Amino acid sequence: MSKRISKEQINLRFNITSLFVYIVGIILIIQLLNLQIINGDYYREQSNTRLTRISEIQGSRGDIVDRTGNVLATVRKSYNVELYKTNIETEELNNAILELIKVLEKNGEAYEDTFPVKINPFEFEITENKLSNWKAKYDLEENSTAEDAFYKFKEKYKITNESIEDTRKIIAIRYRITTEGYSTTKSLEIATDIKEETVAELSERSGVFAGINLVEDSIRTYTSGSLASHIIGYIGDINPDEYKELKEEYDSDDVIGRTGIESLFEEYLKGKDGEKQIDMSVDGTTTAEYVTQEAKAGSSIVLTIDANLQRITEEALKNNINKIASGGFSETFDTSAGSVVVLKIDTGEVLAMSSYPDFEPEKFVGGISQTDWKLYRDNEDKPLLNRSIQSQYAPGSIFKMVTAVAGLETGAITIQEKINDTGVYRYYQDKQPLCWYYSDYGRGHGYLNVTGAIKNSCNYYFYELGRRIGIDTLSTYAKYFGLGKKTGIELPSEITGTLASKETKAKLLANAEKESQKQWSPGETLSAAIGQSYNSFTPLQMAKYIATLTNGGKEVEPTIIKTIINSDGTEETREEIEKFSNEQLGITKERNSETLKIKEEYLSAILEGMRSVTSETGGTAYGVFRNFNIEVGGKTGSAQAGNKVNAWFAGFAPFDKPEIAVVVMVEKGSHGSYTAEVARDIMSEYFGMNSKNVGETVSAMPYVEQER
């Protein structure tokens, strides 16, 4: 049975509650009187003399480093000068602006000046078709002179200085305030990346510069000039469309990766901005600062390349191209571009990758000048093009090992069988190509087995071998080596290359008028067997092929990322890196469904042929490697491409236990043996030898080798 509450108890509770409400109300009224009446003047003064704004703390961009920790791309600290609106008189603002400009000019600092009127003499700096609208916008008469406009703005901004020069300096900033605007929370950027002495002077005289704020910034810098430029890439200012899409993560004045690693790993490299609260008085003096959100630096991308080997590779390629172009090999050839790839055979790591000519990533920082952009854009040698992965070339004779593997593995040829090179391959009536040896000496090589055919680069031998195996078998084995498809390297814009096959021809000639034109002809197989026809691959694909060959057919997967280290010290797993890279590239990286395991005796016969190229008299690269301290396997190649001949060298070392594969390609280089010097210099560096002691005794004949 519940207890009934009496009327007296109810009244007592009501009275207690009412009393509590009255007491609280009285306290609030007293406090309100204190704030508005008793101490109202004090609190109003405090409110009117205190401003608060939120300032961004930039999260610095992550570094790009080589495999040993050498920094290739980083950020350096810089300071920018900003101006905020403050509650000061116009004359005081004008004087502060003038003093600021004097400090900047004294220290050689640049500042933005958009006022379109020059002095001494007075002239408009604006095109005629825009001048009329500009005058109308600022209430100037149509016939107003530049001098009239100048004094109109002097009056508008209430500038009292007598000096025309000083007045012009003040107008420069006041005009930007008019056109761009600023407030107590939105700044106007006056100067960027100022010198340390300027920072010191402005800091020491902060009381003079009302509303001036120094903001710490970071600027991308590339420590080694153009080194590995095609790998690293460059950055650029985010454009309006990108900002619209990415404004949750980016500010309108942020930078973003455009090419190379800078682009593909933008998500990792970009830091996360923080915030700080700044309290200041209305005269612009900062009274306190509080970090409300910590900034977070971007991750460091660790590349597989070795910076020193990369430097040697780039120098060797450049020197070789210049030597060929200047007649250093008995005859002058019009070459000016090329590529080199150095792979670590057991891991597929790219130790060096060079494309010549190159470019300066630093030129793009802060926006590339029109002059520099025009030089890069209009250069017929395309310095911004990464030839290692973005250009494809007929491989010529360095493809012949693919044909040899296919012939031996299918039983179309044996190690011992010799084919008689008579100079002219006469099997087909309508296609009777010559061996290069016949073109030069009027006779064939005679009887050669597979090892001798590789050593002498005998076209006749591989014509016959190609005929025996057919194009379907040849293209199947080429696929085992990754030819005709992307390697999946962690760089943007890699192309697939083209593998000679019936399907390729039909696709390329799909619009041909006659159906017969799309059909594969037996004679085309002969060209494909020596690396011509529709065969066209990137230097990186060829390096993968050589590494896979020396691996006995075990597929090598090229990579240029060693690891990624986050700002908190954690390291991304290999699986996470591969997943991210593949998603960014939009590829599904799959290994061949069937693996190729080359029989040991077949592999030995083929590699022995490559050894004899560099180590035996008559080998096409013997003159380059005959005094070399390490035994090298190699193959030269000269591939017809229209009216030019591209030069190749593909090699590996040491011969007995291969560690690195090197592929060199020089556009219009004429003869593969010329390019072998590049590989020699790279190997000298890699194995710690003194390349200066290696003699350059190349006894090359002054001719253009035909499909050798």
mmCIF file of all heavy atoms in Angstrom, residues 643-681:
data_model
loop_
_atom_site.group_PDB
_atom_site.id
_atom_site.type_symbol
_atom_site.label_atom_id
_atom_site.label_comp_id
_atom_site.label_asym_id
_atom_site.label_seq_id
_atom_site.Cartn_x
_atom_site.Cartn_y
_atom_site.Cartn_z
ATOM 1 N N ASN A 643 63.905 4.856 -91.397
ATOM 2 C CA ASN A 643 65.188 5.155 -92.034
ATOM 3 C C ASN A 643 66.318 5.326 -91.034
ATOM 4 O O ASN A 643 67.363 5.874 -91.346
ATOM 5 C CB ASN A 643 65.066 6.426 -92.883
ATOM 6 C CG ASN A 643 64.665 7.636 -92.044
ATOM 7 O OD1 ASN A 643 64.382 7.505 -90.860
ATOM 8 N ND2 ASN A 643 64.635 8.791 -92.675
ATOM 9 N N LYS A 644 66.095 4.864 -89.825
ATOM 10 C CA LYS A 644 67.133 4.947 -88.804
ATOM 11 C C LYS A 644 67.392 3.565 -88.213
ATOM 12 O O LYS A 644 66.610 2.632 -88.407
ATOM 13 C CB LYS A 644 66.736 5.920 -87.693
ATOM 14 C CG LYS A 644 65.510 5.478 -86.899
ATOM 15 C CD LYS A 644 65.126 6.506 -85.840
ATOM 16 C CE LYS A 644 63.895 6.032 -85.043
ATOM 17 N NZ LYS A 644 63.503 7.006 -84.013
ATOM 18 N N VAL A 645 68.507 3.448 -87.510
ATOM 19 C CA VAL A 645 68.868 2.186 -86.865
ATOM 20 C C VAL A 645 69.142 2.463 -85.394
ATOM 21 O O VAL A 645 70.038 3.243 -85.046
ATOM 22 C CB VAL A 645 70.112 1.552 -87.524
ATOM 23 C CG1 VAL A 645 70.519 0.287 -86.772
ATOM 24 C CG2 VAL A 645 69.820 1.222 -88.976
ATOM 25 N N ASN A 646 68.351 1.860 -84.531
ATOM 26 C CA ASN A 646 68.564 2.003 -83.101
ATOM 27 C C ASN A 646 69.568 0.964 -82.616
ATOM 28 O O ASN A 646 69.593 -0.167 -83.105
ATOM 29 C CB ASN A 646 67.249 1.834 -82.340
ATOM 30 C CG ASN A 646 66.257 2.936 -82.659
ATOM 31 O OD1 ASN A 646 66.645 4.074 -82.922
ATOM 32 N ND2 ASN A 646 64.967 2.599 -82.652
ATOM 33 N N ALA A 647 70.392 1.352 -81.650
ATOM 34 C CA ALA A 647 71.458 0.477 -81.159
ATOM 35 C C ALA A 647 71.140 -0.033 -79.764
ATOM 36 O O ALA A 647 70.733 0.742 -78.886
ATOM 37 C CB ALA A 647 72.785 1.236 -81.151
ATOM 38 N N TRP A 648 71.337 -1.331 -79.548
ATOM 39 C CA TRP A 648 71.051 -1.976 -78.260
ATOM 40 C C TRP A 648 72.288 -2.724 -77.752
ATOM 41 O O TRP A 648 73.076 -3.253 -78.533
ATOM 42 C CB TRP A 648 69.950 -3.019 -78.394
ATOM 43 C CG TRP A 648 68.560 -2.549 -78.662
ATOM 44 C CD1 TRP A 648 68.006 -2.299 -79.883
ATOM 45 C CD2 TRP A 648 67.524 -2.330 -77.696
ATOM 46 N NE1 TRP A 648 66.686 -1.938 -79.745
ATOM 47 C CE2 TRP A 648 66.362 -1.943 -78.413
ATOM 48 C CE3 TRP A 648 67.462 -2.411 -76.305
ATOM 49 C CZ2 TRP A 648 65.151 -1.650 -77.778
ATOM 50 C CZ3 TRP A 648 66.255 -2.114 -75.669
ATOM 51 C CH2 TRP A 648 65.117 -1.738 -76.396
ATOM 52 N N PHE A 649 72.373 -2.796 -76.433
ATOM 53 C CA PHE A 649 73.241 -3.784 -75.793
ATOM 54 C C PHE A 649 72.492 -4.324 -74.590
ATOM 55 O O PHE A 649 71.945 -3.560 -73.775
ATOM 56 C CB PHE A 649 74.578 -3.196 -75.336
ATOM 57 C CG PHE A 649 75.445 -4.225 -74.639
ATOM 58 C CD1 PHE A 649 76.216 -5.111 -75.369
ATOM 59 C CD2 PHE A 649 75.445 -4.336 -73.249
ATOM 60 C CE1 PHE A 649 76.986 -6.084 -74.744
ATOM 61 C CE2 PHE A 649 76.216 -5.305 -72.606
ATOM 62 C CZ PHE A 649 76.988 -6.177 -73.360
ATOM 63 N N ALA A 650 72.461 -5.652 -74.484
ATOM 64 C CA ALA A 650 71.844 -6.306 -73.337
ATOM 65 C C ALA A 650 72.880 -7.232 -72.717
ATOM 66 O O ALA A 650 73.463 -8.065 -73.417
ATOM 67 C CB ALA A 650 70.610 -7.094 -73.767
ATOM 68 N N GLY A 651 73.120 -7.086 -71.429
ATOM 69 C CA GLY A 651 74.142 -7.907 -70.795
ATOM 70 C C GLY A 651 73.851 -8.217 -69.347
ATOM 71 O O GLY A 651 72.906 -7.689 -68.748
ATOM 72 N N PHE A 652 74.686 -9.092 -68.785
ATOM 73 C CA PHE A 652 74.564 -9.448 -67.371
ATOM 74 C C PHE A 652 75.946 -9.795 -66.836
ATOM 75 O O PHE A 652 76.861 -10.128 -67.596
ATOM 76 C CB PHE A 652 73.608 -10.633 -67.171
ATOM 77 C CG PHE A 652 74.061 -11.910 -67.817
ATOM 78 C CD1 PHE A 652 74.839 -12.829 -67.113
ATOM 79 C CD2 PHE A 652 73.725 -12.208 -69.125
ATOM 80 C CE1 PHE A 652 75.272 -14.013 -67.714
ATOM 81 C CE2 PHE A 652 74.144 -13.379 -69.731
ATOM 82 C CZ PHE A 652 74.916 -14.283 -69.026
ATOM 83 N N ALA A 653 76.087 -9.718 -65.515
ATOM 84 C CA ALA A 653 77.363 -10.031 -64.882
ATOM 85 C C ALA A 653 77.132 -10.311 -63.397
ATOM 86 O O ALA A 653 76.146 -9.849 -62.817
ATOM 87 C CB ALA A 653 78.340 -8.861 -65.063
ATOM 88 N N PRO A 654 78.066 -11.064 -62.776
ATOM 89 C CA PRO A 654 79.121 -11.866 -63.403
ATOM 90 C C PRO A 654 78.510 -13.043 -64.169
ATOM 91 O O PRO A 654 77.386 -13.450 -63.888
ATOM 92 C CB PRO A 654 79.953 -12.353 -62.222
ATOM 93 C CG PRO A 654 79.514 -11.558 -61.037
ATOM 94 C CD PRO A 654 78.105 -11.157 -61.300
ATOM 95 N N PHE A 655 79.253 -13.580 -65.096
ATOM 96 C CA PHE A 655 78.708 -14.628 -65.946
ATOM 97 C C PHE A 655 78.330 -15.873 -65.156
ATOM 98 O O PHE A 655 77.267 -16.462 -65.369
ATOM 99 C CB PHE A 655 79.714 -14.994 -67.043
ATOM 100 C CG PHE A 655 79.225 -16.092 -67.947
ATOM 101 C CD1 PHE A 655 78.306 -15.823 -68.944
ATOM 102 C CD2 PHE A 655 79.677 -17.404 -67.791
ATOM 103 C CE1 PHE A 655 77.836 -16.832 -69.769
ATOM 104 C CE2 PHE A 655 79.210 -18.417 -68.613
ATOM 105 C CZ PHE A 655 78.284 -18.136 -69.608
ATOM 106 N N ASP A 656 79.207 -16.303 -64.237
ATOM 107 C CA ASP A 656 78.973 -17.549 -63.506
ATOM 108 C C ASP A 656 77.830 -17.438 -62.506
ATOM 109 O O ASP A 656 77.120 -18.416 -62.261
ATOM 110 C CB ASP A 656 80.251 -17.979 -62.772
ATOM 111 C CG ASP A 656 81.322 -18.437 -63.742
ATOM 112 O OD1 ASP A 656 80.962 -18.878 -64.853
ATOM 113 O OD2 ASP A 656 82.515 -18.334 -63.401
ATOM 114 N N LYS A 657 77.660 -16.268 -61.911
ATOM 115 C CA LYS A 657 76.599 -16.070 -60.916
ATOM 116 C C LYS A 657 75.999 -14.683 -61.122
ATOM 117 O O LYS A 657 76.350 -13.736 -60.424
ATOM 118 C CB LYS A 657 77.146 -16.224 -59.495
ATOM 119 C CG LYS A 657 76.064 -16.364 -58.438
ATOM 120 C CD LYS A 657 76.661 -16.644 -57.079
ATOM 121 C CE LYS A 657 75.569 -16.805 -56.025
ATOM 122 N NZ LYS A 657 76.135 -17.059 -54.684
ATOM 123 N N PRO A 658 75.109 -14.543 -62.080
ATOM 124 C CA PRO A 658 74.602 -13.218 -62.454
ATOM 125 C C PRO A 658 73.943 -12.459 -61.304
ATOM 126 O O PRO A 658 73.126 -13.019 -60.565
ATOM 127 C CB PRO A 658 73.576 -13.543 -63.547
ATOM 128 C CG PRO A 658 74.004 -14.865 -64.096
ATOM 129 C CD PRO A 658 74.548 -15.610 -62.923
ATOM 130 N N GLU A 659 74.338 -11.194 -61.165
ATOM 131 C CA GLU A 659 73.758 -10.313 -60.149
ATOM 132 C C GLU A 659 72.935 -9.192 -60.775
ATOM 133 O O GLU A 659 71.876 -8.848 -60.257
ATOM 134 C CB GLU A 659 74.860 -9.690 -59.280
ATOM 135 C CG GLU A 659 75.593 -10.668 -58.401
ATOM 136 C CD GLU A 659 76.631 -9.978 -57.527
ATOM 137 O OE1 GLU A 659 76.440 -8.786 -57.197
ATOM 138 O OE2 GLU A 659 77.636 -10.623 -57.178
ATOM 139 N N ILE A 660 73.457 -8.625 -61.861
ATOM 140 C CA ILE A 660 72.743 -7.506 -62.478
ATOM 141 C C ILE A 660 72.558 -7.730 -63.975
ATOM 142 O O ILE A 660 73.383 -8.372 -64.624
ATOM 143 C CB ILE A 660 73.458 -6.158 -62.254
ATOM 144 C CG1 ILE A 660 74.856 -6.161 -62.874
ATOM 145 C CG2 ILE A 660 73.492 -5.805 -60.791
ATOM 146 C CD1 ILE A 660 75.518 -4.792 -62.904
ATOM 147 N N ALA A 661 71.438 -7.209 -64.480
ATOM 148 C CA ALA A 661 71.178 -7.178 -65.918
ATOM 149 C C ALA A 661 71.184 -5.716 -66.346
ATOM 150 O O ALA A 661 70.616 -4.863 -65.659
ATOM 151 C CB ALA A 661 69.835 -7.824 -66.236
ATOM 152 N N VAL A 662 71.831 -5.431 -67.462
ATOM 153 C CA VAL A 662 71.932 -4.064 -67.971
ATOM 154 C C VAL A 662 71.470 -4.039 -69.418
ATOM 155 O O VAL A 662 71.949 -4.825 -70.238
ATOM 156 C CB VAL A 662 73.376 -3.527 -67.888
ATOM 157 C CG1 VAL A 662 73.437 -2.082 -68.393
ATOM 158 C CG2 VAL A 662 73.923 -3.631 -66.467
ATOM 159 N N VAL A 663 70.534 -3.151 -69.717
ATOM 160 C CA VAL A 663 70.077 -2.968 -71.096
ATOM 161 C C VAL A 663 70.255 -1.506 -71.474
ATOM 162 O O VAL A 663 69.828 -0.608 -70.745
ATOM 163 C CB VAL A 663 68.602 -3.391 -71.267
ATOM 164 C CG1 VAL A 663 68.051 -2.915 -72.606
ATOM 165 C CG2 VAL A 663 68.475 -4.906 -71.167
ATOM 166 N N VAL A 664 70.918 -1.284 -72.613
ATOM 167 C CA VAL A 664 71.188 0.061 -73.118
ATOM 168 C C VAL A 664 70.535 0.203 -74.486
ATOM 169 O O VAL A 664 70.637 -0.696 -75.322
ATOM 170 C CB VAL A 664 72.705 0.318 -73.252
ATOM 171 C CG1 VAL A 664 72.966 1.768 -73.671
ATOM 172 C CG2 VAL A 664 73.436 -0.037 -71.961
ATOM 173 N N MET A 665 69.857 1.319 -74.718
ATOM 174 C CA MET A 665 69.267 1.607 -76.020
ATOM 175 C C MET A 665 69.585 3.048 -76.394
ATOM 176 O O MET A 665 69.337 3.962 -75.613
ATOM 177 C CB MET A 665 67.753 1.392 -75.984
ATOM 178 C CG MET A 665 67.071 1.399 -77.343
ATOM 179 S SD MET A 665 66.926 3.012 -78.150
ATOM 180 C CE MET A 665 66.139 3.963 -76.856
ATOM 181 N N VAL A 666 70.176 3.238 -77.576
ATOM 182 C CA VAL A 666 70.463 4.581 -78.081
ATOM 183 C C VAL A 666 69.746 4.762 -79.407
ATOM 184 O O VAL A 666 69.965 4.002 -80.349
ATOM 185 C CB VAL A 666 71.978 4.818 -78.249
ATOM 186 C CG1 VAL A 666 72.236 6.173 -78.917
ATOM 187 C CG2 VAL A 666 72.684 4.757 -76.901
ATOM 188 N N GLU A 667 68.858 5.741 -79.448
ATOM 189 C CA GLU A 667 68.127 6.019 -80.679
ATOM 190 C C GLU A 667 69.092 6.464 -81.772
ATOM 191 O O GLU A 667 69.948 7.323 -81.541
ATOM 192 C CB GLU A 667 67.072 7.102 -80.441
ATOM 193 C CG GLU A 667 65.947 6.681 -79.512
ATOM 194 C CD GLU A 667 64.906 7.773 -79.322
ATOM 195 O OE1 GLU A 667 64.991 8.799 -80.040
ATOM 196 O OE2 GLU A 667 64.027 7.615 -78.461
ATOM 197 N N LYS A 668 68.961 5.867 -82.943
ATOM 198 C CA LYS A 668 69.806 6.190 -84.100
ATOM 199 C C LYS A 668 71.295 6.021 -83.774
ATOM 200 O O LYS A 668 72.144 6.728 -84.298
ATOM 201 C CB LYS A 668 69.521 7.607 -84.603
ATOM 202 C CG LYS A 668 68.090 7.803 -85.105
ATOM 203 C CD LYS A 668 67.842 9.198 -85.595
ATOM 204 C CE LYS A 668 67.637 10.175 -84.459
ATOM 205 N NZ LYS A 668 67.204 11.510 -84.920
ATOM 206 N N GLY A 669 71.574 5.050 -82.886
ATOM 207 C CA GLY A 669 72.961 4.810 -82.478
ATOM 208 C C GLY A 669 73.746 3.948 -83.437
ATOM 209 O O GLY A 669 74.942 3.745 -83.260
ATOM 210 N N SER A 670 73.086 3.339 -84.421
ATOM 211 C CA SER A 670 73.691 2.604 -85.529
ATOM 212 C C SER A 670 74.149 1.206 -85.181
ATOM 213 O O SER A 670 73.723 0.245 -85.787
ATOM 214 C CB SER A 670 74.862 3.399 -86.131
ATOM 215 O OG SER A 670 75.474 2.659 -87.161
ATOM 216 N N HIS A 671 75.022 1.050 -84.198
ATOM 217 C CA HIS A 671 75.663 -0.245 -83.973
ATOM 218 C C HIS A 671 75.624 -0.593 -82.485
ATOM 219 O O HIS A 671 76.037 0.203 -81.644
ATOM 220 C CB HIS A 671 77.105 -0.195 -84.456
ATOM 221 C CG HIS A 671 77.719 -1.551 -84.666
ATOM 222 N ND1 HIS A 671 77.875 -2.454 -83.650
ATOM 223 C CD2 HIS A 671 78.204 -2.156 -85.786
ATOM 224 C CE1 HIS A 671 78.445 -3.554 -84.105
ATOM 225 N NE2 HIS A 671 78.650 -3.396 -85.411
ATOM 226 N N GLY A 672 75.131 -1.787 -82.170
ATOM 227 C CA GLY A 672 75.000 -2.193 -80.777
ATOM 228 C C GLY A 672 76.296 -2.185 -79.996
ATOM 229 O O GLY A 672 76.308 -1.918 -78.793
ATOM 230 N N SER A 673 77.426 -2.478 -80.669
ATOM 231 C CA SER A 673 78.704 -2.525 -79.956
ATOM 232 C C SER A 673 79.098 -1.154 -79.417
ATOM 233 O O SER A 673 79.817 -1.052 -78.425
ATOM 234 C CB SER A 673 79.811 -3.060 -80.871
ATOM 235 O OG SER A 673 80.067 -2.163 -81.927
ATOM 236 N N TYR A 674 78.601 -0.088 -80.056
ATOM 237 C CA TYR A 674 78.907 1.245 -79.552
ATOM 238 C C TYR A 674 78.321 1.457 -78.156
ATOM 239 O O TYR A 674 78.923 2.099 -77.304
ATOM 240 C CB TYR A 674 78.337 2.315 -80.487
ATOM 241 C CG TYR A 674 78.873 2.318 -81.896
ATOM 242 C CD1 TYR A 674 78.247 3.062 -82.890
ATOM 243 C CD2 TYR A 674 80.002 1.577 -82.252
ATOM 244 C CE1 TYR A 674 78.721 3.078 -84.195
ATOM 245 C CE2 TYR A 674 80.480 1.583 -83.551
ATOM 246 C CZ TYR A 674 79.843 2.331 -84.520
ATOM 247 O OH TYR A 674 80.312 2.341 -85.804
ATOM 248 N N THR A 675 77.130 0.927 -77.951
ATOM 249 C CA THR A 675 76.443 1.147 -76.674
ATOM 250 C C THR A 675 76.976 0.257 -75.562
ATOM 251 O O THR A 675 76.669 0.483 -74.395
ATOM 252 C CB THR A 675 74.933 0.894 -76.835
ATOM 253 O OG1 THR A 675 74.722 -0.477 -77.197
ATOM 254 C CG2 THR A 675 74.344 1.788 -77.904
ATOM 255 N N ALA A 676 77.766 -0.759 -75.909
ATOM 256 C CA ALA A 676 78.299 -1.674 -74.893
ATOM 257 C C ALA A 676 79.169 -0.942 -73.883
ATOM 258 O O ALA A 676 79.301 -1.376 -72.737
ATOM 259 C CB ALA A 676 79.089 -2.799 -75.561
ATOM 260 N N GLU A 677 79.771 0.175 -74.300
ATOM 261 C CA GLU A 677 80.608 0.946 -73.372
ATOM 262 C C GLU A 677 79.814 1.420 -72.155
ATOM 263 O O GLU A 677 80.342 1.497 -71.047
ATOM 264 C CB GLU A 677 81.200 2.165 -74.088
ATOM 265 C CG GLU A 677 82.310 1.833 -75.062
ATOM 266 C CD GLU A 677 82.985 3.088 -75.597
ATOM 267 O OE1 GLU A 677 82.549 4.205 -75.217
ATOM 268 O OE2 GLU A 677 83.933 2.957 -76.373
ATOM 269 N N VAL A 678 78.549 1.755 -72.370
ATOM 270 C CA VAL A 678 77.709 2.214 -71.266
ATOM 271 C C VAL A 678 77.569 1.114 -70.225
ATOM 272 O O VAL A 678 77.744 1.347 -69.017
ATOM 273 C CB VAL A 678 76.318 2.643 -71.782
ATOM 274 C CG1 VAL A 678 75.448 3.124 -70.625
ATOM 275 C CG2 VAL A 678 76.446 3.722 -72.851
ATOM 276 N N ALA A 679 77.263 -0.093 -70.684
ATOM 277 C CA ALA A 679 77.118 -1.225 -69.764
ATOM 278 C C ALA A 679 78.429 -1.507 -69.040
ATOM 279 O O ALA A 679 78.440 -1.817 -67.841
ATOM 280 C CB ALA A 679 76.656 -2.466 -70.532
ATOM 281 N N ARG A 680 79.549 -1.404 -69.755
ATOM 282 C CA ARG A 680 80.851 -1.639 -69.134
ATOM 283 C C ARG A 680 81.107 -0.661 -67.995
ATOM 284 O O ARG A 680 81.530 -1.044 -66.897
ATOM 285 C CB ARG A 680 81.946 -1.513 -70.180
ATOM 286 C CG ARG A 680 83.358 -1.771 -69.647
ATOM 287 C CD ARG A 680 84.393 -1.158 -70.559
ATOM 288 N NE ARG A 680 84.231 0.285 -70.617
ATOM 289 C CZ ARG A 680 84.751 1.050 -71.568
ATOM 290 N NH1 ARG A 680 85.432 0.500 -72.556
ATOM 291 N NH2 ARG A 680 84.572 2.354 -71.543
ATOM 292 N N ASP A 681 80.826 0.633 -68.219
ATOM 293 C CA ASP A 681 81.066 1.638 -67.183
ATOM 294 C C ASP A 681 80.161 1.427 -65.975
ATOM 295 O O ASP A 681 80.567 1.641 -64.830
ATOM 296 C CB ASP A 681 80.855 3.038 -67.760
ATOM 297 C CG ASP A 681 81.908 3.404 -68.798
ATOM 298 O OD1 ASP A 681 82.927 2.687 -68.881
ATOM 299 O OD2 ASP A 681 81.713 4.399 -69.522
#
